[in-house]
Structure formats: structure tokens, C-alpha cells
Amino acid sequence: MSAYVLAQAAWMPGRADVDAVLEDRVSAEAKRPELPGYPSRLMRGTSVVTRMSASVAARALARSGVDPRTIPAVFGSAYGEVCIAIEQLEMMVTGDGQVSPALFKNSVHNTGAGVFSIAHGNHIMSTSLAAGPLTVAYSMLEGHGILDEGASHVLVVVADEALPVPLSEVVQWESFAAAWVLGREPPRDAGPDGEAGGEAGPWIRLAAPQVHEGPQQVPDVRVPPGLAAHPCRSALDLLAAIHRRTPGLVSLGREDDEAWSIEVSVEGRTVEREGTAS
Amino acid sequence: MEVLENLRAGRHGLRPCPLSVPFEMMCGVVPDPVPSLPDRHARLSVRQLELGWLGYQEIAPAVADAIERFGAQRVGAALGTSTGGIAHTEEAYFEWRRTSTLPPRYNLHAHSFHAIGRLLRAEAGWRGPTYVVSTACSSSAKVFSSARRLLRSGRCDAVLVGGVDSLALTTVRGFHGLSASSASRCRPFSAERDGMNVGEGAAYVLLERDGRARAYLAGIGESNDAFHMSAPDPEGRGAIAAMRAALADAGLTASDIDYVNAHGTGTVRNDVAEAKAITEVLGKSVPVVSTKSYTGHMLGAGGATEAVFSLVALEQQWIPQNLALDPVDPEIELDLPTQPQQRPIRHVLSNSFAFGGSNVTLAFSGVPA
């Protein structure tokens, strides 16, 4: 089954949304992710990966018009709460040897999914995945699988925060999160930024991810240096293809002999947008 | 196999925590020595992956057979872990604090959650989708849902599901810090329960879309508590929703269920909330057992381990006994067997609940005679 893109959102430090991430446009106002609808008490002691996941999820959902209480959700991350993991180890070294309960409860890989469900009163279901450099591919695959099972919509979030010292001695990247709201049917209402397309389209449709053999079409995306090695780097290409309404096969990453891609197609009325394909 | 023998014998496998911690705790410990990985995987030879590898050997022939029958591209895996390789990073971090240098042996990939999938994929030779679900203590029950999606969508004809976790300072100290762990053997559903025992290990099940079934995955129910990150909804509403969804998905009613493998951690809050939920959905007369009194709470490996126990119950028409139960919590009105029972078992539910309010109930059915 293919899925319609109702909305997307992204965040990097200093880059508040999709266009800023794609243009690598940094602003001081976007130092921290906005957290609309998340009680500060709930978010206290949460990590960057959880906060940016929560942020992109809320913003994509707001744009889509889909009720956050009733949407199933997939959260993908290669390293999850790695900063809290290291913070806990430091507490073992320097403190009284105890691990803070406040930190520990937020240390699980599904913390982002948990705070999302609590903040929005979502009792439906969520899952949290990890697949290294194929995390975007498998998160999309899981999202399509949930639609296949009959859900009308699904939220797909991918995020990894910058590795903490000393793990950053091995490899480095910047924090980065992206989210998509996918639906079985074309969107009925245009989102504030027009991504959803409205009743007349254009609609962006994603085929189910496929194992890919052969060349992949890579959108002309300026990759911020901090994302070159990021496990969710391929999300950037997908964000760009959707944002620019560029049909084609987009790479969703590779590990060893395994490569995945996703077919992006554009349906319905086409709209000329500056700097975009139509 | 030792675990199943213990289950049959009513014998727990809990031992004093082998990690260096300044408090007492019983744990479900895999006795040393745990074999290292073969030399070709030496860079990945950390305890979590060694346990995952060790547990896999028992099911490896069945996976090889599935690859032979369906082809490598048609076999995949959805595996669960909560700890990943954090124990490996713990050692490296402490050395880094002493020497300002990460040890040469440190391998970030061995820390990562998905390393178990890559390791087993490389070794077994399947080439279908392979990924890891990490939803804390429900991880390796949630994988059944992911695997079923792979089967239903036609991606795979067979999917290996399972889970693995190893003891780590982070989890042992973390649960102690939450006052959720016990210094003695855990006693699920007992009035004298005072916490859980962290456990370790691995368990696997091979699911096929068609074929020579020994039992059926009849239904799956998932829900979010949407209540608290580390405490269950005291009314068990998320658990109720998961169990009801599993029954509906399986086309079963409460009267069809002959046995429940409870999440049953042995913490005060979990057991009373789960008991309320089971009573609400199934009534008071279905036998309920927490096998964590044998294994401890195996976290990311717990769901798959308890799925295996549920399948053994179906196949052998036999349910184990609850251990260290007496006196039963008077607030808990369940049928909690204190002796093993040989009896007809058609359908079983297995509950797994987790931090973040991640709930899943699996419904398994036996092969009709």
C-alpha cells in the first residue's frame, strides 16, 4: 500500500523547521525545540532526542489536522537516549553511586513515544525502533505496515541526538529530528504551509519502502556538515523530495549489503512553487 | 533448556546479583561461562550479544530450514532489546574516566540496539527485513506485532522474533533507585512482595505465514497507558485495553482463555493494577501465573521468554505454578495456581507492560487435535 503525506516537520539546533533544515539556515531563536502541548513537568529531565521528537511530532500533527489522541505512532532512533545513558554513568562515578529515578524513567528508548502518548492522551499504540543507518527505512516500513492493518493515519518520527563525550570520539553528528503524518486517503484540508495539498492536491504519495538494487535518485540537497554521518541522514532527502514535490526514488540508507529506497510520487493539481519542481 | 527444566520442576533460577553494587539484589542470572562469539565476530563479543547468540543456537536449525524453504529474501527478523549493549559502554566509560581514553576494544556498534539483528542476519544468512524494537519491558512482545505486519504485507514468509538483554549496572542501579527491586526473590502477587528481580537472557520464536505450525499467534492487542513514564495506571486501563484488543483481534471471548502468563513483576503497583485488569476482562477463574518468579524480569527479553512459556503451556497442555506466592495479596482476586496443572489449554494470553505505558497482550492458540 502507498501512503499520502499529510504533513512533515523537522528540527535541528538553530533550524526550526523543514525549510531552515534544507537551506541550512541557522537562527538564534530556534536554539531549543518548541514543545506545544507538552506540560513542562512532563518534559523535565528529558533529553534532546525526546524533546525534538516531541516537537516535530506535535508540529506535523497540527499541520495535518489529524487528532493526536487517536493516531498510532512509530518512533525510530538508532541510539535513542544515549546522552541520558552517559549522564547516568557519570552519576555512578561522581555521585553516591545511585542512579537518579528522574533520569532512569526517561532513559528507555521509548521515552519519546511515552511522553507523546501522555501529553496528547493517546491510548492507541506506539512503537519504538532502532535499525542503525536504516532507521528511517524501517520506521517508514513499520508506518506503512500499520496503515496496511487498517489504521487511517500513522505518525512516523525519526531522531538521533548528538553523541555525548566520549562516544563522540568515535563519530560525530548534530541532533536532528523529522516527522511525517501519513494517511491512507488524500488529505482533505490544506495545512498552514500547504504541504497537505488540500482537496485538489497536489498530493504527495509514498510507496512502501523497498530493498533497492541499483542507482538511486538523490535530490539536490545541501547536507549540513553535522548530518553527513547521522543515522537518520536519509530523512533529509525525503524531506526535500516532499517539500519540493520532486517525484522519484529516494534513498533511505544503506548498511552492509542492504539498501532501501522509497518512491515519491505527486498526484493531482500541480502548483508552481519558487525553487521547486511541480 | 535449563530455564524450561526449571519451569517444569518449579525451581527458580534467581541468584545474588553478580555485578558490583552497594546493595543486595537477586537477579535472574545466566551462569558463567557464557561463550564468546566466534573469532569472525570478535569485535561484537559483548555479553548482550553473546547471550543473544547463545540463545539463538537452539532455533538456528529451524531458521536455516525456513531459509531453505522460502529463500533468504523471504525470511526476516524483528528482535527486542531494552538495554542494547549498555553494559559494554559502562565498562568503556569507567575506563575512559580513569585514563581519558576509550579502550581500543570499545565498539560503538556493539553498544547499539540493532547489533543483535545485524549479527544474526550475517551469520544465519537471511536477507529479509531485520530490525529491533525497543519499548523497554514490552520490547520482545511488541516484535510479534512488527513481525505479523511483515507477514501480512507479504514481505516475508517467515520472521524470527525474539529478545535479548544482559544485566547492566544501569538497570540494576536504576530499578534500585526507583525502589522497584527486591533484595530477595521476587514474589509476584504475594502480599509480601517488595519488588522485582532484574534478569537476563534471550528467547526466540519463528513465525511463519503458512506451514507446519506447532501453535498459532491468534491475536495481538496494543495500547498506551498515557499515564506516567514509569508507573502503571493504577486502574489498569491500558492493560484492559490491550487484553480486550487481543481477544477481539483473535476472535475470542473471555471464556475461551484457559491460562494467562501475567506480566507479574512483583512490584506493589504493577501486580495490583494488572490483577484488576485481568479480573475486569477475564473474571476470577482463569489460572494466572507470573513466570518472573522463575526468571526475574528479563526486560527486553521478557516478552519473548514468556511467549515461549505460553507456547509450552499450549503444546504440553500444562501450566506451571506460581512460586513464593503465599500469602496472596488479599486485594488480588485471581486464580493463582500453587501447583503445576495438567489440563486442557486451547488459548493463552501473555501480558507485557513497560515504561512509557507501552502495553501489549499476545493471544496464542493451540493446534486443534
Side-chain angles (χ1 to χ4, degrees):
Chain A
M1 165 183 274
S2 58
Y4 290 91
V5 180
L6 275 65
Q8 61 179 0
W11 188 85
M12 283 182 70
R15 284 146 285 200
D17 214 336
V18 175
D19 49 357
V21 168
L22 292 176
E23 293 161 19
D24 199 15
R25 183 162 29 85
V26 178
S27 103
E29 287 81 56
K31 205 169 173 183
R32 293 186 182 83
E34 291 177 10
L35 292 167
Y38 293 88
S40 55
R41 189 159 165 259
L42 175 66
M43 302 310 291
R44 196 174 300 143
T46 56
S47 64
V48 171
V49 72
T50 283
R51 297 170 80 84
M52 63 183 180
S53 296
S55 177
V56 294
R59 283 186 290 122
L61 276 163
R63 281 172 195 160
S64 73
V66 176
D67 188 342
R69 292 171 300 179
T70 57
I71 191 167
V74 178
F75 286 77
S77 179
Y79 288 91
E81 300 290 346
V82 64
C83 289
I84 286 186
I86 294 298
E87 199 176 342
Q88 291 183 120
L89 297 183
E90 182 62 19
M91 288 180 79
M92 290 182 205
V93 173
T94 58
D96 59 2
Q98 299 300 316
V99 170
S100 151
L103 268 186
F104 185 61
K105 74 179 170 63
N106 289 328
S107 69
V108 291
H109 195 67
N110 58 317
T111 301
V115 301
F116 172 79
S117 68
I118 294 167
H120 297 289
N122 181 310
H123 295 272
I124 303 300
M125 67 79 70
S126 58
T127 190
S128 299
L129 312 180
L134 293 172
T135 294
V136 178
Y138 281 110
S139 299
M140 276 289 164
L141 183 68
E142 193 82 328
H144 274 79
I146 289 170
L147 291 177
D148 279 344
E149 287 185 324
S152 58
H153 301 100
V154 66
L155 169 70
V156 178
V157 179
V158 296
D160 265 291
E161 61 190 349
L163 290 175
V165 175
L167 306 189
S168 56
E169 292 176 11
V170 180
V171 61
Q172 292 184 19
W173 53 70
E174 277 191 86
S175 298
F176 170 50
W180 299 270
V181 178
L182 307 180
R184 291 166 65 94
E185 303 291 335
R188 295 279 170 245
D189 303 309
D193 66 352
E195 273 168 7
E199 287 189 5
W203 303 308
I204 308 296
R205 206 170 63 171
L206 303 180
Q210 298 290 338
V211 172
H212 187 88
E213 289 165 10
Q216 289 160 313
Q217 179 180 337
V218 179
D220 181 19
V221 177
R222 183 197 305 172
V223 180
L227 292 191
H230 196 283
C232 301
R233 181 247 171 277
S234 64
L236 201 64
D237 297 336
L238 187 55
L239 289 166
I242 293 167
H243 187 70
R244 297 171 185 166
R245 309 196 199 302
T246 310
L249 205 55
V250 175
S251 167
L252 291 184
R254 169 183 290 278
E255 184 167 27
D256 305 329
D257 61 342
E258 185 181 3
W260 285 77
S261 62
I262 194 164
E263 179 81 36
V264 177
S265 57
V266 181
E267 283 185 5
R269 175 174 59 89
T270 55
V271 176
E272 294 295 333
R273 286 177 56 154
E274 191 179 346
T276 66
S278 59
Chain B
M1 286 307 289
E2 183 203 338
V3 178
L4 291 177
E5 285 165 14
N6 281 350
L7 193 70
R8 193 81 201 180
R11 195 169 51 223
H12 71 85
L14 302 171
R15 300 171 173 87
C17 181
L19 304 181
S20 176
V21 287
F23 48 82
E24 291 185 359
M25 182 190 277
M26 293 289 275
C27 290
V29 186
V30 177
D32 280 326
V34 173
S36 298
L37 297 183
D39 287 346
R40 59 186 176 279
H41 300 300
R43 288 272 295 151
L44 291 173
S45 205
V46 303
R47 186 171 179 88
Q48 185 237 3
L49 297 175
E50 290 166 354
L51 291 175
W53 176 273
L54 182 64
Y56 175 74
Q57 300 314 308
E58 205 171 331
I59 202 167
V63 174
D65 180 59
I67 293 170
E68 175 75 24
R69 282 183 288 133
F70 302 122
Q73 303 290 345
R74 304 290 303 164
V75 178
L79 305 172
T81 182
S82 181
T83 63
I86 186 62
H88 175 55
T89 295
E90 288 172 356
E91 290 175 14
Y93 187 80
F94 298 142
E95 185 164 334
W96 175 78
R97 287 287 272 122
R98 285 192 302 271
T99 65
S100 301
T101 307
L102 282 170
R105 191 179 166 274
Y106 183 66
N107 180 3
L108 183 62
H109 180 56
H111 162 105
S112 70
F113 294 95
H114 82 304
I116 182 64
R118 302 311 295 183
L119 170 67
L120 298 183
R121 178 186 185 272
E123 188 64 21
W126 72 72
R127 288 295 175 265
T130 304
Y131 58 113
V132 159
V133 173
S134 186
T135 54
C137 305
S138 63
S139 302
S140 64
K142 297 279 274 191
V143 295
F144 284 83
S145 194
S146 297
R148 193 172 68 169
R149 286 190 269 277
L150 293 174
L151 295 169
R152 280 180 166 174
S153 67
R155 296 265 176 181
C156 293
D157 295 312
V159 180
L160 178 72
V161 293
V164 56
D165 262 353
S166 65
L167 291 177
L169 288 170
T170 300
T171 45
V172 167
R173 285 179 180 265
F175 283 109
H176 179 75
L178 279 177
S179 302
S181 61
S182 176
S184 51
R185 287 168 53 192
C186 65
R187 302 178 63 180
F189 301 121
S190 168
E192 295 176 355
R193 69 187 183 280
D194 65 352
M196 45 92 83
N197 302 143
V198 181
E200 64 178 359
Y204 299 94
V205 175
L206 184 65
L207 298 178
E208 294 185 10
R209 190 162 47 181
D210 309 297
R212 300 161 294 187
R214 292 167 64 180
Y216 294 97
L217 174 61
I220 302 173
E222 296 178 82
S223 72
N224 297 321
D225 266 4
F227 177 76
H228 189 272
M229 276 307 298
S230 59
D233 179 340
E235 298 306 317
R237 282 170 288 212
I240 290 169
M243 282 189 280
R244 284 190 173 146
L247 288 176
D249 189 40
L252 299 172
T253 63
S255 62
D256 293 319
I257 302 304
D258 298 311
Y259 166 52
V260 176
N261 187 303
H263 186 58
T265 58
T267 63
V268 172
R269 284 179 175 177
N270 172 82
D271 292 5
V272 75
E274 184 176 11
K276 277 184 193 172
I278 293 172
T279 305
E280 173 74 20
V281 177
L282 301 175
K284 301 174 183 176
S285 59
V286 181
V288 176
V289 176
S290 169
T291 49
K292 288 187 174 70
S293 57
Y294 295 77
T295 61
H297 190 342
M298 293 163 68
L299 309 181
T305 302
E306 291 163 22
V308 169
F309 292 164
S310 300
L311 294 167
V312 167
L314 279 169
E315 198 164 65
Q316 300 184 1
Q317 299 288 285
W318 172 86
I319 58 177
Q321 69 207 72
N322 287 284
L323 299 181
L325 179 65
D326 191 46
V328 177
D329 185 334
E331 271 195 71
I332 293 173
E333 299 179 286
L334 297 173
D335 176 3
L336 298 163
T338 54
Q339 294 295 323
Q341 298 180 1
Q342 201 78 43
R343 56 186 291 167
I345 301 174
R346 300 159 300 159
H347 310 283
V348 174
L349 295 187
S350 182
N351 284 339
S352 294
F353 311 134
F355 273 24
S358 172
N359 307 309
V360 56
T361 298
L362 304 175
F364 295 107
S365 297
V367 178

